[in-house]
Amino acid sequence: MNPKVDAFLSKPQKWQEEMIKLREILLGLSLTEDLKWGVPCYSLDGANIVLIHAFKEYCAALFFKGALLTDPDRILVQQTENTQAARQIRYTSIKEVAKLKSALKAFVKQAINIEKNGLKVEFKKTDDFAVADEFQTRLKSDKVLKAAFESLTPGRQRAYLLHFGSAKQSQTRISRIEKCAPLILAGKGLND
C-alpha cells in the first residue's frame, strides 16, 4: 500500500467507495501501487498495467494495453474513438465492482502476461490519420507551415490532425487552423 494512494482515497469524492474496493482487489494481484497522473496506478517491474480513475458518470479500471486483451464478454470499453491502446472496465456502483471482480482479476492476469511477453500495441501511423481538406489546402499554399508541421513529433502531428478533423463545419476547421498555425510554426504541440 502506497501512502500517496492512501491520501488520495481518503479525500471525500464521488466513487470513493468503488475506488477503495478496486484498490483492494488490485493490491491482491502482485502489482506495485503508486500515484501517477494524480490517480492510483498499478505496475509490474516499472511497466504500467492498470489505473483507477473517476469521471462524472462512472469510475473505471483502465488497462494501458487493453486493446491486446481477450474480451469475449465485451466488458472493456474504448474510452474515445481515437484511443488506440487503452481500454476500461466502467463501474457505476459498488455492486458492479463486486459483480465484475473475477473479470477484473482475469484481465489483470492477461495484462501481466502481455507485459511479461513484451507484446506491444500497434499504433496507427500519422499517415493513417485523415487530414482535413482545409488543412491540406493550407499546407499546399504555405510551404513554411508545411515544413514546420512535418518537423513536429508524430504525436503532436496527430493531435493537430484530430483537432482540425473533429470540427463539423468547414469554417470551424479553418478557424482552428488559423489559431494553431503560430503554435505549429513555433514547433509547439496543441497542448504545449
Side-chain angles (χ1 to χ4, degrees), residues 124-131 149 154 157-158 161:
K124 292 190 318 186
K125 307 257 186 282
T126 303
D127 293 342
D128 296 334
F129 286 81
V131 180
F149 181 75
Q157 290 177 3
R158 287 190 297 271
L161 294 177

Side-chain angles (χ1 to χ4, degrees), residues 35-105:
L35 194 70
K36 295 183 180 179
W37 306 284
V39 297
C41 183
Y42 301 84
S43 61
L44 176 73
D45 300 326
N48 297 324
I49 301 292
V50 61
L51 62 75
I52 301 170
H53 57 163
F55 295 89
K56 186 176 178 181
E57 303 292 327
Y58 61 89
C59 72
L62 179 135
F63 292 90
F64 288 87
K65 293 183 180 179
L68 299 177
L69 297 172
T70 303
D71 182 19
D73 297 324
R74 297 180 180 215
I75 295 168
L76 297 172
V77 177
Q78 184 175 349
Q79 193 169 0
T80 69
E81 67 181 50
N82 297 317
T83 301
Q84 295 184 57
R87 298 293 184 272
Q88 301 173 324
I89 301 177
R90 293 183 178 174
Y91 304 93
T92 57
S93 71
I94 195 71
K95 286 181 183 179
E96 281 187 325
V97 174
K99 178 182 170 188
L100 295 171
K101 179 180 178 178
S102 61
L104 175 61
K105 286 181 171 185

Side-chain angles (χ1 to χ4, degrees), residues 135 138-153 157 184-187:
F135 191 50
R138 177 69 188 270
L139 292 177
K140 283 180 186 175
S141 67
D142 188 339
K143 301 301 179 197
V144 174
L145 182 63
K146 182 178 181 187
F149 181 75
E150 290 173 349
S151 71
L152 294 174
T153 63
Q157 290 177 3
I184 294 169
L185 291 168

Side-chain angles (χ1 to χ4, degrees), residues 18 22-23 25 32-33 45 56 83 97-98 109 113 117 121 123 126 129 132 141 148 181 192:
E18 290 82 359
L22 288 170
R23 177 193 197 197
I25 296 166
T32 301
E33 181 181 64
D45 300 326
K56 186 176 178 181
T83 301
V97 174
K109 288 175 185 172
N113 286 332
N117 290 317
V121 174
F123 289 101
T126 303
F129 286 81
S141 67
D192 289 350

